[in-house]
Amino acid sequence: MGTIETELGIDLAAFWMPFSANRQFKQAPRLLVGAKDMHFIAHDGRRVLDGTAGLWCVNAGHGREKIINAVKAQLDRLDFAPTFQMGHPMAFEAARKIAALAPPGLEHVFFANSGSEAVDSALKIALAYHRARGEGQRTVLIGRERGYHGTGFGGISVGGMTNNRKTFGNLLPRVDHLRHTWDLEHQAYSRGQPEWGAHFADELESRLIPLHDASNIAAVIVEPVAGSTGGLVPPKGYLERLRAICDTHGILLIFDEVITGFGRLGKAFAADYFGVMPDLMTFAKGVTNGTVPMGGVIAHKRVYDAFMQGPEGAIELFHGYTYSGHPVAAAAASATIDVYREEGLFERAAAIAPYFEQALHALKGLPNVIDIRNLGLIGVIEVEARPGKVGARAFDAFVDCYANGLLVRPAGDTLALSPPLIVEKQHIDQMMGTLGAALKRVA
Ligand SMILES: Cc1ncc(COP(=O)(O)O)c(C=O)c1O
């Protein structure tokens, strides 16, 4: 095996990096070696402002002592315990706190270890729910173009990102997609929710239900705000219409809240923000502030109750992971939720969101910018692709920002900002200044 030495003396060869240009990265690595509050420390000692909460996960900022101490204490007390036909207190405690934070009726928490596992769990729960109720023919799953639901076969099947799907052949059968909700002509530079586009929900009733028949459809899964394909904010009334159509036809509505959960929009969940309640909700990332992997599904009481029948000794759902409700992750979740509540971080995000919106939209008019979108503490700049080189301009802007002390997230020809909820006005000013200068330089 070859080696690739860095200044730090670390060999980069063996780690096959996820969602990365491995060869390019290893020529010019960007290594992070420390973090505190709003900043990373780069391997050359520079402070880098974290404009992305890591990867949409470090909502309370880095290096939070309360969470770290809870993790350490849990490791000292109980490093691992199984949750198959066994239990340990912290899993129940974390589930109780998550359910208490969730909208009314969403009362039962199934634990996984990532957003991808959370999505697969939610899809399986939806299928099993209909079967438990005697409608086992409901097996069609409806996702959406430009949706991202992680990388499991379930998630890429209902997802709508071409590069994540095209290579892998055997996707789930009996899956269909709604069109995505973005329209440059009618929505460009919308602040918050676009006024135009609620009718995109209608094709569920006008096209997909007539095609598959409602009696065969198990669930519709959407991200309330599509994150990974560039912050596609739902038009006003869109989610409400999806909910109403699902209700009419007995179809479950799943919100993938892996990025919108835990305060990103200034409320605990996007469901609260929009006032639209799903039957199942996935979560991950912010649940532990990114410290320890954890994900899961919050199920409405009526979904859970449908399983709780038959003989007492029967296992109701043949699904789970060795690390479902892992004690260390559960301790991290429990402490993280305390930090969110004690510091009022969701309210804080809501309070600073208008300043963030204003500062972000001030980038309008910079070279090649064709759209700016935002909601809560999600902000996205869309730039015109270089001819024949999709994604190159945004990637160059990302590298330029990093060189100048700011981490942003490139995706296609978009650049996303999703800072920790502890962000202050001075950080927002720095982000927009650095991003603006980068956009001029990469023009
Ligand atoms: C909406 C959504 N669902 C699922 C996932 C997958 O999460 P993970 O990477 O933890 O598997 C992500 C990750 O970004 C996401 O944004």
Side-chain angles (χ1 to χ4, degrees), residues 304-315:
Y304 178 81
D305 287 349
F307 287 86
M308 299 301 132
Q309 45 176 309
E312 281 274 320
I315 291 173

Side-chain angles (χ1 to χ4, degrees), residues 114-116 148-150 223 228 256 258-259 285:
S114 65
S116 300
Y148 182 58
H149 300 292
E223 300 160 88
S228 298
D256 184 346
V258 164
I259 64 154
K285 298 194 187 254

Side-chain angles (χ1 to χ4, degrees), residues 19 55-56 113-119 147-152 155 221-228 256-260 282-285 293-295 409:
F19 278 119
L55 209 45
W56 311 82
N113 308 290
S114 65
S116 300
E117 288 182 0
V119 166
Y148 182 58
H149 300 292
T151 51
I221 179 167
V222 292
E223 300 160 88
V225 178
S228 298
D256 184 346
E257 294 241 20
V258 164
I259 64 154
T260 50
T282 59
F283 66 87
K285 298 194 187 254
M294 176 177 251
R409 173 92 183 118

Side-chain angles (χ1 to χ4, degrees), residues 234-274:
K236 284 184 184 161
Y238 172 87
L239 293 172
E240 290 83 344
R241 283 203 208 180
L242 272 191
R243 175 72 274 181
I245 298 168
C246 287
D247 281 345
T248 305
H249 298 281
I251 299 167
L252 293 181
L253 180 61
I254 306 172
F255 277 178
D256 184 346
E257 294 241 20
V258 164
I259 64 154
T260 50
F262 300 99
R264 181 59 42 208
L265 302 184
K267 297 275 188 190
F269 293 95
D272 303 299
Y273 181 91
F274 294 113

Side-chain angles (χ1 to χ4, degrees), residues 67 70-71 94-95 97-98 111 262 283 286-289 291-292 294 327-340:
I67 304 168
V71 167
K97 286 188 183 174
I98 293 165
F111 282 121
F262 300 99
F283 66 87
V287 65
T288 59
N289 204 37
T291 52
V292 183
M294 176 177 251
V328 182
S334 174
T336 298
I337 291 170
D338 289 349
V339 170
Y340 290 147

Side-chain angles (χ1 to χ4, degrees), residues 370-414:
I370 56 169
D371 191 15
I372 297 179
R373 306 184 277 275
N374 71 286
L375 201 70
L377 286 182
I378 299 174
V380 173
I381 313 279
E382 176 123 10
V383 292
E384 184 99 60
R386 290 201 182 114
K389 289 187 177 169
V390 173
R393 181 172 277 128
F395 187 82
D396 287 350
F398 148 72
V399 173
D400 187 287
C401 284
Y402 183 71
N404 288 286
L406 171 67
L407 186 64
V408 299
R409 173 92 183 118
D413 274 297
T414 68

Side-chain angles (χ1 to χ4, degrees), residues 50 138 154-155 178 207 360 370 376 389 397 419:
D50 184 1
R138 283 190 185 257
L178 290 158
R207 183 171 71 83
L360 184 78
I370 56 169
K389 289 187 177 169

